[in-house]
Amino acid sequence: MKRNIVIAAVTAAALIGGGTATALATTGDDQGSARQTANTKLSDDGNRDDQDDRDDQDDRNDRDDDAAKVSSSDVTAPEAITSALKHTSGTVVSAELDDEDDSDKVVWKVDVLSGDNTWHSVSVDPSSGKVLGSQTDDEDDTAQVRAALKDSSVTAEEAAKAAAGKGVVTSVGLDEDGKDKSWEAETRTSGGAEQDWKIDLTSGKITADRSDAQDDDADDADDQD
């Protein structure tokens, strides 16, 4: 009888010990999983931070490139437009300070729509104002552009002059899409800040591009989050 009691006690102790061991093992697995989950989350957060840093660096590089373009130009947008029209008669639809054929050389690219509806892309030297060359382009929105400019009394040159009071004009072009047709210009201040502007086709009144300002506000809000 006593022997049976001892065996029962040992068996109970073994069961209790085994259960405890199992519980400890289970608890250890849970802690390991928690640590692994935490480490994974930290890794993901670190990857996102690295990507954000790379995106910020890309933005800084783009701003530096734009600043270099502006500093390399002695010829203003209105002057580039004047030079282009002396070379190729017609209506200037856009002018932009940009790289030439993906090279490091910066030129003014002026798009001129001639009387026979031929598009010309005129390259103007940003230092001397000399026309470097011209080529014809194929565009499929000629009728739309003509319709937008039909009742316009403000030229691209005049729009660029209006925007020049807000900073250095790096581009000006016709926005012929949508209900509110206008000239659009981009300026850069001495501090490097960029801003888009709309210039009325008939009155020449200049206003800040609200959609651009809203995008900036949204970006600032995202950065704060």
Side-chain angles (χ1 to χ4, degrees), residues 3-23:
R3 181 173 175 273
N4 292 336
I5 295 174
V6 171
I7 293 174
V10 171
T11 303
L15 290 173
I16 294 173
T20 302
T22 303

Side-chain angles (χ1 to χ4, degrees), residues 2-213:
K2 290 182 179 179
R3 181 173 175 273
N4 292 336
I5 295 174
V6 171
I7 293 174
V10 171
T11 303
L15 290 173
I16 294 173
T20 302
T22 303
L24 289 175
T26 303
T27 302
D29 289 343
D30 290 343
Q31 290 175 345
S33 298
R35 284 194 296 271
Q36 183 177 0
T37 301
N39 290 335
T40 301
K41 184 177 186 302
L42 289 173
S43 177
D44 290 342
D45 290 343
N47 290 336
R48 283 195 293 269
D49 290 340
D50 291 342
Q51 184 60 50
D52 290 342
D53 290 341
R54 287 192 292 270
D55 290 342
D56 290 342
Q57 184 60 50
D58 289 341
D59 290 340
R60 286 192 292 270
N61 290 339
D62 288 342
R63 288 193 292 269
D64 290 342
D65 290 342
D66 290 341
K69 292 177 185 178
V70 173
S71 63
S72 67
S73 178
D74 296 323
V75 176
T76 65
E79 291 170 343
I81 291 172
T82 299
S83 295
L85 288 176
K86 287 180 179 179
H87 180 273
T88 304
S89 61
T91 302
V92 170
V93 180
S94 68
E96 180 180 12
L97 190 62
D98 202 0
D99 298 336
E100 184 178 35
D101 299 328
D102 296 327
S103 67
D104 293 333
K105 186 176 182 180
V106 176
V107 298
W108 279 105
K109 292 183 178 180
V110 184
D111 290 333
V112 181
L113 178 58
S114 63
D116 61 355
N117 289 334
T118 300
W119 288 85
H120 303 266
S121 180
V122 184
S123 298
V124 179
D125 190 300
S127 299
S128 65
K130 179 182 178 180
V131 172
L132 301 174
S134 175
Q135 64 182 28
T136 59
D137 290 332
D138 293 327
E139 301 288 347
D140 57 5
D141 60 346
T142 302
Q144 194 173 358
V145 169
R146 289 290 190 196
L149 292 174
K150 181 179 179 181
D151 298 323
S152 174
S153 56
V154 178
T155 65
E157 182 179 5
E158 292 169 338
K161 289 180 179 179
K166 305 295 184 179
V168 178
V169 178
T170 56
S171 69
V172 61
L174 178 66
D175 178 15
E176 73 275 14
D177 297 324
K179 180 180 178 181
D180 298 326
K181 298 174 177 58
S182 65
W183 291 107
E184 288 187 336
E186 182 180 278
T187 61
R188 176 180 286 272
T189 65
S190 57
E194 295 179 350
Q195 177 63 56
D196 289 341
W197 306 90
K198 287 184 175 294
I199 300 94
D200 190 273
L201 292 176
T202 55
S203 67
K205 180 181 179 181
I206 181 171
T207 56
D209 188 340
R210 292 303 176 188
S211 61
D212 182 68

